[in-house]
Amino acid sequence: MRRAVNDLLGAYDKLIMDPVHGGIPLYRHEIEVIDHPLFQRLRNICQNDILSLVFPGATHSRFLHSIGVMHVGTRMFRSMIDAYLRERQLSEQTDLSLSQLDAIDYLAKTIRLGCLLHDSGHSSFSHQFTQARRIRELMSRPDRFRDLWLGVDYSTYHAGVPEELEHEHYSVRVAHDVLAAIDLEAAGLFAQDVIGIMETTEVHPSETFRKHARTFWGFIAGEDAEAGSLISDDIPRLVMDLLSSIVSGEIDADRADYMLRDGFHSSVTIGGFNLDHLLSNLRFGWDVSEPWLGLAITQKGLGALEDFVYSRHQMYRKVYAHKTALGFDWLLREAINEVLEDPESFEWVDTCLNDMRFFAELTDNFFWEAFRKVARRDPGSFSFCIVNRVKLNHLDTREDLSQKGIARHSAWLAQELGLDPAHVVTCSMRARFSNIQDNFNGIKVLTRDPIDRSRSLKKITDVSAFFSKFSDGTITHFYTRPDVTRQATEGLSE
């Protein structure tokens, strides 16, 4: 019967060859999504802003990352289905009904599209774009959200107007246009179900999703499905939360792909956890008393999860927070601000952020050309630093300083080194582990009684002391600004 599930989920129309995962199969409707101009733009957006100035191999795009996330999300869901069937067949003969097969297929395809489109709203240089001061000002303009959805009912996806726009809001907007442009009905899918498992949304799922969710719950929970205080209308939300956790959670397809992909292209092995080992130990977890449906991991798989968390922690420390990389991130943000001082560039970026007809134009290429234009005009500019790889001069690194502590250390460095305090630059990265213990408590550990094989779920921190070792962490680098005018003059004289 597992073979039937694999046959149902495994049919595809095209194969994309990926250097990280190998062959990635695609359905016809997914090919239509990928061929849409708003998705094709991701080819021209680097996954790691300008990390390639430090790790030359890190030139990979958001385009292939998004396809990789879809592949990993599929593997996560299918591995849990496969393990569930295998374990049930050890104790009873399990035959899936056509409605159960249909529900599994529907949820799997919904996960795939949610993963594929999860980062479709990223703009030039990914996260650094929205951190640039003038971009933040642009995105914070009153009525920006309403203008972005002009003529479209956004209430299907958002309960209200967000206080501040992030790239996730643009991903939802892009997903709406892309899914509206393809024959989603032929695939038997609904846009609100796909977008409903993406971040920032509050969606009432389709009746089709609700039907499949109830079938899936009955399949997973078995004889416990009718127990507890759970009512029928609660089930679709439980299932949607489960799918959302695969797209964006503590153990999600996004993190799994970018850690492997960034490590591969940066030639850094610390991001190389064992994905196969982790997936083989993932399980569906449910508790009818709460009620709860989510990800669980077997007790023997805790080591694989610990490797995943430690690898992610090290990638932040050794790659993303690398002293030269953070320095270039600062220069990049300042260079973007420089470009937007030009009224024509400012107006064009404003238009692209406001209108989906032009959003596809907002890529790294636009800013690289703008940087070169500014650099030719002004050899003392931040744009010149980016174009010619002129680094900030690193002075010192400190960890876990408060804002006041950073200011004091910056002033002390300036005094000791005889520098103008205005020329000391600080760049900080906060390691994203401040709530790791609480967040991972949302993932249960599945244990089984050795005698009667009964299952129980435990908090992850009740079973492993590993996760309690992580806490808030901030890395701050201190620099001086480069003397770009001198370097430019020397370069011209040579």
Side-chain angles (χ1 to χ4, degrees):
M1 186 53 64
R2 291 201 310 275
R3 173 66 183 274
V5 175
N6 288 338
D7 287 345
L8 183 63
L9 300 180
Y12 61 90
D13 298 284
K14 190 174 184 178
L15 197 68
I16 283 184
M17 298 309 298
D18 175 34
V20 174
H21 301 296
I24 297 179
L26 300 172
Y27 292 104
R28 187 177 305 278
H29 62 277
E30 292 163 355
I31 298 170
E32 293 177 4
V33 168
I34 290 170
D35 285 342
H36 193 285
L38 284 171
F39 193 88
Q40 285 289 313
R41 66 182 283 276
L42 297 178
R43 289 181 181 272
N44 298 309
I45 296 177
C46 192
Q47 170 74 10
N48 298 117
D49 49 78
I50 52 173
L51 189 65
S52 61
L53 294 184
V54 182
F55 299 93
T59 58
H60 51 299
S61 68
R62 286 274 163 188
F63 177 84
L64 199 49
H65 164 64
S66 297
I67 296 172
V69 174
M70 178 190 69
H71 179 67
V72 174
T74 304
R75 288 192 61 194
M76 289 176 68
F77 187 69
R78 288 181 60 178
S79 66
M80 289 188 286
I81 291 286
D82 190 68
Y84 183 80
L85 289 172
R86 184 174 62 250
E87 290 169 358
R88 283 187 64 172
Q89 287 180 345
L90 291 176
S91 58
E92 58 183 276
Q93 187 63 33
T94 304
D95 289 323
L96 294 179
S97 66
L98 287 176
S99 63
Q100 288 172 331
L101 286 170
D102 201 23
I104 292 169
D105 183 57
Y106 187 89
L107 298 182
K109 287 179 178 176
T110 299
I111 289 170
R112 286 174 65 84
L113 282 182
C115 288
L116 186 61
L117 291 163
H118 82 288
D119 267 353
S120 56
H122 266 298
S123 297
S124 310
F125 302 113
S126 297
H127 293 284
Q128 295 306 316
F129 179 80
T130 54
Q131 293 181 33
R133 174 181 50 80
R134 300 210 70 184
I135 295 296
R136 280 253 61 91
E137 292 171 357
L138 268 176
M139 292 180 68
S140 300
R141 179 176 63 77
D143 293 327
R144 170 76 67 186
F145 180 81
R146 290 188 176 89
D147 289 345
L148 188 64
W149 286 93
L150 187 65
V152 183
D153 183 9
Y154 62 80
S155 65
T156 303
Y157 313 120
H158 300 286
V161 177
E163 293 184 3
E164 194 167 14
L165 281 179
E166 301 291 347
H167 78 268
E168 290 89 354
H169 296 105
Y170 278 90
S171 292
V172 172
R173 185 66 182 90
V174 167
H176 171 82
D177 273 17
V178 171
L179 294 177
I182 71 170
D183 191 2
L184 202 59
E185 185 178 345
L189 299 171
F190 293 87
Q192 70 259 41
D193 299 338
V194 174
I195 296 175
I197 65 173
M198 295 169 61
E199 290 186 90
T200 75
T201 59
E202 296 179 45
V203 169
H204 295 289
S206 70
E207 188 55 45
T208 299
F209 184 96
R210 297 170 71 83
K211 178 188 71 174
H212 289 317
R214 294 186 185 101
T215 300
F216 182 74
W217 172 254
F219 163 67
I220 292 297
E223 60 186 24
D224 294 334
E226 304 297 328
S229 59
L230 187 66
I231 60 176
S232 179
D233 287 344
D234 293 332
I235 294 172
R237 174 47 53 190
L238 286 179
V239 175
M240 189 159 272
D241 288 345
L242 168 69
L243 304 194
S244 297
S245 70
I246 293 175
V247 178
S248 179
E250 281 304 320
I251 313 176
D252 62 17
D254 180 33
R255 287 186 174 96
D257 183 81
Y258 78 61
M259 285 167 56
L260 291 175
R261 194 171 299 278
D262 294 354
F264 174 85
H265 287 285
S266 303
S267 299
V268 175
T269 58
I270 53 178
F273 66 97
N274 191 323
L275 179 62
D276 292 335
H277 189 202
L278 179 64
L279 296 186
S280 68
N281 286 285
L282 283 182
R283 298 292 186 271
F284 295 115
W286 72 92
D287 186 338
V288 296
S289 63
E290 291 192 28
W292 176 79
L293 175 66
L295 300 182
I297 192 159
T298 66
Q299 195 159 9
K300 71 175 183 178
L302 276 175
L305 181 57
E306 290 169 358
D307 285 344
F308 176 83
V309 174
Y310 182 71
S311 295
R312 183 171 154 230
H313 182 260
Q314 288 296 89
M315 282 292 287
Y316 272 97
R317 294 183 63 85
K318 305 300 183 183
V319 178
Y320 308 133
H322 187 283
K323 66 180 187 299
T324 310
L326 281 192
F328 273 122
D329 285 345
W330 185 87
L331 288 168
L332 174 63
R333 294 190 295 271
E334 293 301 317
I336 291 173
N337 291 332
E338 278 180 343
V339 167
L340 293 183
E341 290 174 5
D342 172 53
E344 184 178 351
S345 295
F346 180 90
E347 183 179 351
W348 178 241
V349 172
D350 185 31
T351 299
C352 292
L353 287 172
N354 220 48
D355 194 326
M356 282 295 108
R357 292 176 298 173
F358 307 107
F359 188 68
E361 302 290 331
L362 205 53
T363 65
D364 294 1
N365 296 341
F366 170 81
F367 278 97
W368 276 113
E369 290 305 314
F371 294 157
R372 292 185 182 98
K373 181 179 178 180
V374 174
R376 287 193 297 270
R377 185 178 67 245
D378 181 5
S381 64
F382 297 113
S383 295
F384 182 93
C385 295
I386 294 297
V387 171
N388 294 280
R389 199 183 179 276
V390 179
K391 300 183 293 183
L392 293 178
N393 302 308
H394 184 254
L395 297 175
D396 197 11
T397 298
R398 288 288 185 270
E399 295 193 20
D400 299 329
L401 291 180
S402 64
Q403 287 300 316
K404 289 183 179 179
I406 291 172
R408 283 196 297 268
H409 192 65
S410 179
W412 178 82
L413 285 171
Q415 180 180 349
E416 291 297 309
L417 297 174
L419 300 171
D420 182 343
H423 290 173
V424 177
V425 172
T426 63
C427 300
S428 297
M429 175 170 281
R430 188 178 186 83
R432 303 177 183 182
F433 299 93
S434 56
N435 296 317
I436 194 167
Q437 184 169 333
D438 292 337
N439 289 340
F440 271 100
N441 272 335
I443 301 165
K444 310 296 185 184
V445 179
L446 178 63
T447 60
R448 291 192 179 274
D449 187 280
I451 307 300
D452 62 12
R453 303 299 297 165
S454 61
R455 59 187 293 282
S456 62
L457 293 168
K458 297 182 178 180
K459 284 186 176 181
I460 206 163
T461 45
D462 290 342
V463 180
S464 171
F466 175 83
F467 300 94
S468 61
K469 299 176 182 178
F470 292 90
S471 59
D472 287 349
T474 301
I475 297 174
T476 302
H477 299 300
F478 297 82
Y479 313 84
T480 57
R481 302 179 184 228
D483 186 352
V484 292
T485 304
R486 178 180 59 80
Q487 295 187 41
T489 303
E490 290 175 355
L492 292 173
S493 64
E494 293 172 358

